[in-house]
């Protein structure tokens, strides 16, 4: 594969930006260059310096667009593409009425392959190069997802949902089959190319104590795997969970009891946590995943981002779409709604922090920042190119923009897939190839 020399306004974060004028938190080149070889960024910096090392490389000029690390979505359900936009229910009714019947269809391997292909098309179209995805309970849905992801050379995290109760026939495994299928999938897919397996008990309501034991057994057998589940999303969910595990101090205690907390644990939602629960997450290094479009759509509540981030024992936080409870595939749309959720909690998230979150911040939360989430030399060339003048309304508003932070905020507030001019996955153009 020919080497690529990309030119544009490069932006990559170094750490959490404290304010919209915290210029030390990022590296920005007004005329930047990236030299990409064999899927990696091998040089990054001022264009003239990088170009001097790039003899024979194919040059692609993205000026005046911004070049950032590809976005990361830390929690999404690929089998819910035909659930998104389902009207009128809160979490438990929404699961029973819409989500579970739809996920039942994934026992058909062909359906799974079709949706996996369309899902990753949509992901790339929106500038997202890595997701942490739930598949369905069916082993073949995981095969379909990883096969498609591997063929595209994407770095994705995914797992078979384990669920053995409180769900319809055709959408339940057993403690033993959930364990066995997970092991088979781990052996086949974890570490194959850029694929990562996540142990995925759906949530405490749909797993029996025996299945939770099995999930804990997998977690101790495979300590380098991610674990993903849901926690404290909705009041009715919390009350039902408490009935099912009457011995537990609170919802978090259940996952703690079965050995499922830790630095690779991704907990979707975490809206209604007590101080004790937040302390338990902080102590274990578990990640609270903020899913603003979903939390608003399902009326679940307001994730207190700034409280979690600044408390004495801070939480590690990621951001995510949670499609199909979430309402958009775009991390720009996600952070626009996130900004509003945080505003309702009386705080403001600065635009630099938003873009840190969906790039380096999510990569750190997922423990993959050595590979993706920045434009640093030696990392994988997963890249998004953003056009802040993509629509007439954006172009007009750009006339009055004077700073990088203002441009980012405009992209977040008005942008969507139309603002994504190109995407590179492991150094290859991916969005323009979709047709
Ligand atoms: N809790 C358990 N399963 C789900 C799901 O599919 N979506 C959401 N939003 N919450 C869940
Ligand atoms: Zn979810």
């Amino acid at each position: 594969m020919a080497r690529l020399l990309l030119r544009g306004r490069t932006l990559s974060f170094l750490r959490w930006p404290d304010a919209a004028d915290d210029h030390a938190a990022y590296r920005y080149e007004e005329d930047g260059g990236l030299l990409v070889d064999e899927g990696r960024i091998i040089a990054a910096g001022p264009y003239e310096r990088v170009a001097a090392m790039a003899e024979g490389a194919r040059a692609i000029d993205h000026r005046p667009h911004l070049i950032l690390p590809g976005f990361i979505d830390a929690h999404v359900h690929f089998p819910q593409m035909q659930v998104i936009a389902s009207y009128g229910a809160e979490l438990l009714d929404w699961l029973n009425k819409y989500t579970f019947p739809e996920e039942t269809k994934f026992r058909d391997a062909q359906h799974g392959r079709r949706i996996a292909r369309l899902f990753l098309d949509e992901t790339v179209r929106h500038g997202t190069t890595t997701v942490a995805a739930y598949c369905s309970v069916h082993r073949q849905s995981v095969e379909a997802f990883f096969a498609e992801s591997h063929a595209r050379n994407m770095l994705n995290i995914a797992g078979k949902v384990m669920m053995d109760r409180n769900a319809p026939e055709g959408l339940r495994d057993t403690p033993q089959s959930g364990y066995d299928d997970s092991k088979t999938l781990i052996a086949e897919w974890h570490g194959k190319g850029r694929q990562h397996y996540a142990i995925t008990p759906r949530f405490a309501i749909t797993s029996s104590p025996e299945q939770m034991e099995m999930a804990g057994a997998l977690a101790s057998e495979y300590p380098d795997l991610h674990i993903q589940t849901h926690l404290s999303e909705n009041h009715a969910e919390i009350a039902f969970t408490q009935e099912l595990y009457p011995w537990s101090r609170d919802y978090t205690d259940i996952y703690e009891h079965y050995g499922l907390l830790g630095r690779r644990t991704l907990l979707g939602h975490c809206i209604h946590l007590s101080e004790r629960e937040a302390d338990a997450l902080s102590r274990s290094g578990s990640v609270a995943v903020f899913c603003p479009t979903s939390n608003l759509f399902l009326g679940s509540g307001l994730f207190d981002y700034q409280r979690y981030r600044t408390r004495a024992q801070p939480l590690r936080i990621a951001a995510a779409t949670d499609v199909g409870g979430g309402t958009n595939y775009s991390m720009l749309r996600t952070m626009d709604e996130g900004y509003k959720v945080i505003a309702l909690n009386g705080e403001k998230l600065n635009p630099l922090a938003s873009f840190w979150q969906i790039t380096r911040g999510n990569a750190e939360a997922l423990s993959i920042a050595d590979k993706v989430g920045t434009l640093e030399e030696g990392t994988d060339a997963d890249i998004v190119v953003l056009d802040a003048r993509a629509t007439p309304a954006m172009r007009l508003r750009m006339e009055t923009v004077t700073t990088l932070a203002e441009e980012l905020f405009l992209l977040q507030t008005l942008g969507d897939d139309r603002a994504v001019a190109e995407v590179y996955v492991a150094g290859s153009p991916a969005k323009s190839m979709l047709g």
Side-chain angles (χ1 to χ4, degrees), residues 46-65:
Y47 176 75
E48 292 305 336
R49 186 170 68 72
V50 175
M53 305 159 63
E55 208 186 300
R58 182 179 151 217
I60 304 177
D61 191 347
H62 285 299
R63 290 177 299 169
H65 301 336

Side-chain angles (χ1 to χ4, degrees), residues 9-13 26-28 66-69 375 404 408:
R9 298 163 54 226
T10 51
L11 174 63
S12 179
F13 290 93
Y26 60 89
R27 188 168 297 135
Y28 171 71
L66 284 166
I67 300 180
L68 279 84
L375 300 178
L404 176 63
L408 294 176

Side-chain angles (χ1 to χ4, degrees), residues 103-274:
E103 290 195 14
T104 307
K105 297 180 186 163
F106 286 75
R107 79 174 159 261
D108 171 6
Q110 204 179 330
H111 180 67
R113 285 194 290 271
R114 171 171 180 249
I115 300 297
R117 174 170 53 78
L118 295 172
F119 176 79
L120 291 176
D121 280 357
E122 212 53 35
T123 298
V124 164
R125 197 189 315 288
H126 286 81
T128 296
T129 48
T130 288
V131 297
Y134 288 64
C135 302
S136 75
V137 73
H138 314 94
R139 202 168 102 187
Q140 54 272 33
S141 76
V142 190
E143 302 277 1
F145 181 88
F146 278 132
E148 189 65 38
S149 172
H150 186 55
R152 295 169 190 237
N153 205 9
M154 290 179 80
L155 193 166
N156 283 316
I157 301 166
K160 186 201 101 75
V161 165
M162 302 168 77
M163 52 193 295
D164 68 344
R165 65 170 172 179
N166 293 316
E169 181 67 37
L171 202 63
R172 293 191 304 265
D173 54 9
T174 67
Q176 193 63 48
S177 75
Y179 175 86
D180 292 343
D181 283 351
S182 298
K183 275 191 92 118
T184 304
L185 289 162
I186 292 165
E188 189 178 354
W189 290 105
H190 185 66
K192 182 163 179 174
R194 305 179 77 205
Q195 310 316 308
H196 293 244
Y197 192 85
I199 300 162
T200 310
R202 182 172 209 122
F203 66 158
I205 288 177
T206 48
S207 285
S208 64
E210 296 72 28
Q211 179 158 75
M212 296 292 267
E213 292 272 0
M214 290 301 212
L218 287 171
S220 54
E221 282 175 68
Y222 301 99
D224 59 330
L225 293 195
H226 289 90
I227 299 167
Q228 53 183 356
T229 188
H230 296 83
L231 173 63
S232 198
E233 177 175 3
N234 163 293
H235 291 298
E237 172 211 17
I238 296 166
F240 188 22
T241 304
Q242 209 56 57
E243 277 174 40
L244 293 169
Y245 292 90
W247 51 262
S248 64
R249 284 175 289 181
D250 47 47
Y251 196 163
T252 301
D253 195 27
I254 301 166
Y255 297 138
E256 216 173 338
H257 175 82
Y258 291 105
L260 295 172
L261 298 187
R263 290 191 66 78
R264 289 189 173 261
T265 298
L266 313 173
L267 298 161
H269 307 296
C270 296
I271 298 170
H272 310 286
L273 298 181
S274 68

Side-chain angles (χ1 to χ4, degrees), residues 77 80 91 94-95 99 202-203 230 233 269 294 298 322:
H77 299 258
Q80 295 179 15
L91 175 65
W94 174 85
L95 285 171
T99 307
R202 182 172 209 122
F203 66 158
H230 296 83
E233 177 175 3
H269 307 296
S294 170
L298 293 174
D322 190 35

